[in-house]
Amino acid sequence: MCVAAPMKVIEIDGDIIRAELGGMTKEANLAIVDERPELGDYVIIHAGFALHRIDPEEAKITLQLWKEMGVIDEIPD
Amino acid sequence: MKYLTEYRDGSLASKMAERIKAISTKPARFMEICGTHTVAIFKHGIRDVLPEHIGLISGPGCPVCVTATRDIDKAIKLSRIPDVIVATFGDMVRVPGSESSLQKEKGLGADVRMVYSTMDAIEIARQNPDKKVVFLGIGFETTAPTIAAAVVAAQAQGVNNFSVLSCHKLLPPAMDALLSGGELDVNGFMCPGHVSTIIGTAPYKVVVAQYHTPCVVMGFEPLDILQGIYMLVSQIEAGEARVEIQYRRAVAPEGNPNALKTLDRVFEPCDSPWRGLGMIPKSGLALRESYRAHDAEALFDLDVPDSGEPPGCKCGDILRGVNTPIECKLFRKVCNPENPVGPCMVSSEGTCAAYYRYSQV
Ligand code: SF4
């Protein structure tokens, strides 16, 4: 029950968004999200609520770290 | 797509495992305190790629599993009241109480409904104005703010026949209880990313300061977990203990202030009973006085006897990390996902269910 998944925002209607991942779509409420997402952003969704807008810059920093560790050669776009 | 696929890449995972082997010299045991981690570790065979002297053990990280039998008995008592509809998340329905389960009660005619979100429970309340809808609220800091937001919405929209039986739990007090118990032999915690999405890192700093045990907040993809273990091993090798965030794309050090504010508006910390760990001070959440009209504890007589755990079931010891399911005599023989004796076999994120599905023993 605790599973929370990153999904892509495909529709915004007031405080309700629709998000998609691998063909599955879900509705989510924005009442407690940390940062309002825009269309195309990724958000973490749990139990019908968006909890967090994924930070693309931070995602890149993780990949940068892997590069330094020698796990990847290039940071993908 | 840089948010998902890289973190699952199998060839990168073996490179990551090599890096861990290259730096790891000291034996260590790490505890994962999240059911989603437990399942991911099994599913991706993460134990198998680690050096032999690195052990992973499961802790009290599944909200279904840590719910006390007495709280399930309270929900069962509620479901027997004629005009009550009990709504809850999926797995809770199958967890055995002392002499029944919500599923059995449903079979006997009780109105028990599974919902995906608390908002669905509010909708049920709206559609059934002559009934009282009680949501059995379980979950850690990730879930509790969603319940809080729903309570705020119910009050604002005047949905007066909606209430919550709050069995929410807070993870850091449980870590503290585990470590202060002296039973547990761990050298680091694999902290759940989605709990920290809400609470950030501050509560773990207290654990680190008191017990000098490294904490790394990790994501749930195989490479997140391997990188997180790499970070724990690096700390162990350097003799350090810090809180670090591996799951940076989803966790800010301060967490989610908006969710925390909603949580604090509706709930206050209270002492709470955990399966296996007993009563832990300030480890649960009770509705505040101002939301009394939506607090099932205040609205119904929920007095039930305290009946302890099912005979023979070792869920309590498993949640404390002192036993594995293999050491339970009932495992596979009597207890399986079709016929679960304890909650650790019911929940899809339970340790017994994960062992049942993924281990050969
Ligand atoms: S195998 Fe079944 S009986 Fe044994 S600890 Fe797990 S849930 Fe309880």
Side-chain angles (χ1 to χ4, degrees), chain B residues 312-315 318 325 328 330-332 335 341-345 352:
Chain B
C313 172
K314 277 182 156 329
C315 279
I318 289 163
C328 172
L330 306 184
F331 180 68
R332 270 191 211 281
C335 182
V341 176
C344 297
M345 188 62 92
C352 296

Side-chain angles (χ1 to χ4, degrees), chain A residues 1 33 46 51 58 66 69, chain B residues 19 227 248 256 258 349:
Chain A
M1 64 140 290
V33 76
H46 174 63
L51 300 183
E58 290 288 353
W66 293 2
M69 287 168 71
Chain B
R19 294 294 174 274
Q227 188 197 350
R248 297 179 59 147
N256 175 346
N258 185 24
E349 291 143 45

Side-chain angles (χ1 to χ4, degrees), chain B residues 86-360:
Chain B
V86 173
T88 190
F89 295 131
D91 286 338
M92 281 315 283
V93 172
R94 295 179 55 230
V95 178
S98 59
E99 36 96 28
S100 183
S101 68
L102 286 171
Q103 191 170 42
K104 281 189 195 149
E105 294 301 315
K106 193 178 159 85
L108 294 171
D111 198 343
V112 176
R113 312 219 188 155
M114 285 190 253
V115 294
Y116 161 68
S117 162
T118 333
M119 287 305 198
D120 302 340
I122 293 183
E123 196 45 46
I124 295 172
R126 224 190 300 261
Q127 285 166 10
N128 295 275
D130 51 335
K131 297 272 172 79
K132 292 173 185 140
V133 175
V134 184
F135 182 76
L136 173 54
I138 63 151
F140 298 118
E141 291 91 332
T142 318
T143 317
T146 73
I147 318 285
V151 171
V152 170
Q155 194 183 56
Q157 296 163 19
V159 184
N160 298 326
N161 59 334
F162 168 81
S163 63
V164 173
L165 175 61
S166 175
C167 304
H168 297 98
K169 302 273 187 276
L170 304 172
L171 265 184
M175 292 165 72
D176 187 61
L178 278 172
L179 290 168
S180 68
E183 226 179 357
L184 180 68
D185 168 28
V186 287
N187 310 94
F189 282 110
M190 308 166 69
C191 300
H194 293 139
V195 163
S196 278
T197 293
I198 306 297
I199 66 172
T201 54
Y204 300 126
K205 285 193 180 140
V206 183
V207 173
V208 167
Q210 189 154 0
Y211 302 99
H212 201 73
T213 305
C215 289
V216 173
V217 175
M218 303 182 193
F220 302 91
E221 299 296 343
L223 276 154
D224 287 320
I225 297 173
L226 285 164
Q227 188 197 350
I229 292 172
Y230 178 89
M231 292 163 85
L232 279 171
V233 168
S234 306
Q235 288 198 44
I236 298 283
E237 294 298 323
E240 288 168 0
R242 276 176 281 125
V243 185
E244 287 183 296
I245 305 174
Q246 178 279 326
Y247 196 33
R248 297 179 59 147
R249 62 195 186 282
V251 174
E254 70 279 12
N256 175 346
N258 185 24
L260 285 172
K261 211 169 73 200
T262 309
L263 188 68
D264 184 56
R265 185 170 155 191
V266 175
F267 291 112
E268 59 191 351
C270 66
D271 299 350
S272 182
W274 294 57
R275 192 180 294 261
L277 285 89
M279 198 59 122
I280 303 178
K282 304 278 174 238
S283 69
L285 292 170
L287 279 103
R288 287 187 189 275
E289 185 65 35
S290 42
Y291 290 95
R292 212 183 144 80
H294 299 283
D295 184 357
E297 289 276 3
L299 300 176
F300 300 92
D301 167 20
L302 294 181
D303 204 23
V304 295
D306 194 353
S307 52
E309 289 166 31
C313 172
K314 277 182 156 329
C315 279
D317 297 329
I318 289 163
L319 293 166
R320 289 201 310 281
V322 297
N323 277 140
T324 65
I326 309 221
E327 293 161 283
C328 172
K329 288 201 182 73
L330 306 184
F331 180 68
R332 270 191 211 281
K333 298 191 186 81
V334 178
C335 182
N336 59 57
E338 276 70 52
N339 174 38
V341 176
C344 297
M345 188 62 92
V346 173
S347 168
S348 45
E349 291 143 45
T351 306
C352 296
Y355 269 74
Y356 187 90
R357 241 177 310 155
Y358 299 109
S359 80
Q360 299 310 314

Side-chain angles (χ1 to χ4, degrees), chain B residues 6-155:
Chain B
E6 282 80 8
Y7 304 99
R8 289 188 187 161
D9 186 322
S11 61
L12 295 186
S14 57
K15 278 193 192 169
M16 191 71 87
E18 277 168 35
R19 294 294 174 274
I20 295 172
K21 284 204 177 100
I23 62 159
S24 176
T25 63
K26 297 180 185 163
R29 277 155 58 89
F30 301 135
M31 175 178 259
E32 86 262 358
I33 38 173
C34 172
T36 313
H37 275 151
T38 306
V39 171
I41 286 165
F42 271 105
K43 195 160 143 194
H44 303 292
I46 286 178
R47 282 193 168 87
D48 305 334
V49 302
L50 295 177
E52 262 177 32
H53 59 265
I54 300 290
L56 302 184
I57 50 172
S58 306
C62 157
V64 175
C65 305
V66 297
T67 304
T69 308
R70 184 151 188 248
D71 285 331
I72 295 167
D73 286 345
K74 284 184 184 178
I76 289 167
K77 186 168 183 190
L78 275 168
S79 76
R80 289 176 177 163
I81 303 174
D83 62 344
V84 164
I85 300 175
V86 173
T88 190
F89 295 131
D91 286 338
M92 281 315 283
V93 172
R94 295 179 55 230
V95 178
S98 59
E99 36 96 28
S100 183
S101 68
L102 286 171
Q103 191 170 42
K104 281 189 195 149
E105 294 301 315
K106 193 178 159 85
L108 294 171
D111 198 343
V112 176
R113 312 219 188 155
M114 285 190 253
V115 294
Y116 161 68
S117 162
T118 333
M119 287 305 198
D120 302 340
I122 293 183
E123 196 45 46
I124 295 172
R126 224 190 300 261
Q127 285 166 10
N128 295 275
D130 51 335
K131 297 272 172 79
K132 292 173 185 140
V133 175
V134 184
F135 182 76
L136 173 54
I138 63 151
F140 298 118
E141 291 91 332
T142 318
T143 317
T146 73
I147 318 285
V151 171
V152 170
Q155 194 183 56

